[in-house]
């Protein structure tokens, strides 16, 4: 089954060009949303992925409608393929149901990996150069005023034991790692039972 996905970045933009192209391509179902590609929360795209079945083809108007970065694109296409589906981009001549399309996509994946390696190498080289000049790289030691305030609240919530670690993180909009860093900074003993 061909399943279309159409997206525009703002409420003011019109989906009709994409919808017409997807219908012409034979899509039996089309998921559409008006949300910026930079946003991780794309409920319609998630619904599409959740309902994807073996042999389904996800059809998009252009690659940038699906993802904003090469890394995100590679991850999404891998997820589609893991579910037994394929991707067809109408304007980018990419169709992972064909050998040529699969090859093109593998080149994209290799480029994404290459880009990550270059960034990693540049970061290492920059840190080494800074150390050679006597400066240490990375984040400054200690916490900002705002982080100190959040750490105090995190400590109180953690010691009250009324909320789970996950709930504390959600309340404070921080990750588990950040919570544990804050608690260690405050000198809190982390108990295995309250993780």
């Amino acid at each position: 089954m061909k399943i279309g996905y159409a997206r525009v970045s703002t409420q003011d933009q019109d989906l009709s060009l994409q919808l017409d192209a997807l219908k012409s391509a034979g899509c039996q179902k089309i998921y559409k949303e008006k949300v910026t590609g930079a946003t991780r929360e794309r409920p319609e795209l998630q619904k599409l992925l959740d309902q994807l079945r073996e042999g389904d083809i996800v059809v998009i108007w252009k690659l940038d409608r699906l993802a904003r970065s090469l890394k995100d694109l590679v991850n999404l296409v891998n997820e589609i393929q893991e579910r037994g589906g394929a991707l067809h981009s109408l304007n980018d001549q990419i169709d992972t149901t064909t050998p040529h399309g699969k090859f093109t996509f593998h080149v994209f994946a290799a480029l994404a990996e290459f880009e990550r390696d270059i960034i990693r190498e540049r970061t290492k080289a920059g840190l080494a150069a800074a150390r050679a000049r006597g400066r240490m790289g990375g984040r400054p030691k200690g916490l900002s005023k705002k982080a100190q305030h959040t750490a105090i609240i995190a400590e109180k919530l953690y010691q009250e034991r009324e909320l789970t670690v996950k709930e504390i993180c959600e309340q404070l909009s921080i990750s588990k790692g950040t919570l544990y860093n804050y608690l260690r900074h405050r000198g809190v003993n982390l108990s295995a039972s309250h993780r």
Side-chain angles (χ1 to χ4, degrees), residues 5-19 32-39 61-62 64-65 68:
Y5 176 72
R7 181 186 63 78
V8 289
S9 299
T10 67
Q11 294 296 324
D12 301 336
Q13 292 175 319
D14 189 15
L15 283 163
S16 56
L17 175 70
Q18 292 178 57
L19 296 176
K32 49 188 182 267
E33 56 194 347
K34 294 187 175 191
V35 63
T36 176
T39 304
W61 187 60
K62 282 185 79 171
D64 67 356
R65 299 300 85 205
R68 277 287 191 213

Side-chain angles (χ1 to χ4, degrees), residues 140-159:
K141 298 280 185 251
L143 300 176
S144 68
K145 287 267 188 221
K146 183 181 176 190
Q148 287 176 21
H149 179 70
T150 306
I152 292 167
I153 296 167
E155 178 186 6
K156 286 182 179 161
L157 291 173
Y158 185 81
Q159 289 180 334

Side-chain angles (χ1 to χ4, degrees), residues 51 127 173 180:
Q51 295 176 10
L127 289 171
S173 298
Y180 291 137

Side-chain angles (χ1 to χ4, degrees), residues 2 4 6 20 23 39 52 64 77 81 83 87 94-96 112 119 129 136 138 142 150 153 160 171 184-185 193:
K2 287 188 176 181
D20 290 346
K23 285 173 190 163
T39 304
L52 201 62
D64 67 356
V77 175
Q81 289 179 332
R83 293 170 187 255
L87 175 75
I94 291 184
D95 182 352
T96 62
I119 291 167
M136 295 307 290
T150 306
I153 296 167
E160 285 172 0
Q171 286 276 329
R184 277 191 285 276
H185 182 78
S193 63

Side-chain angles (χ1 to χ4, degrees), residues 59-88:
V59 183
I60 53 174
W61 187 60
K62 282 185 79 171
L63 291 173
D64 67 356
R65 299 300 85 205
L66 191 62
R68 277 287 191 213
S69 72
L70 192 53
K71 181 184 169 202
D72 287 345
L73 177 66
V74 169
N75 290 340
L76 274 166
V77 175
N78 282 336
E79 187 173 348
I80 289 168
Q81 289 179 332
E82 283 168 12
R83 293 170 187 255
L87 175 75
H88 182 193

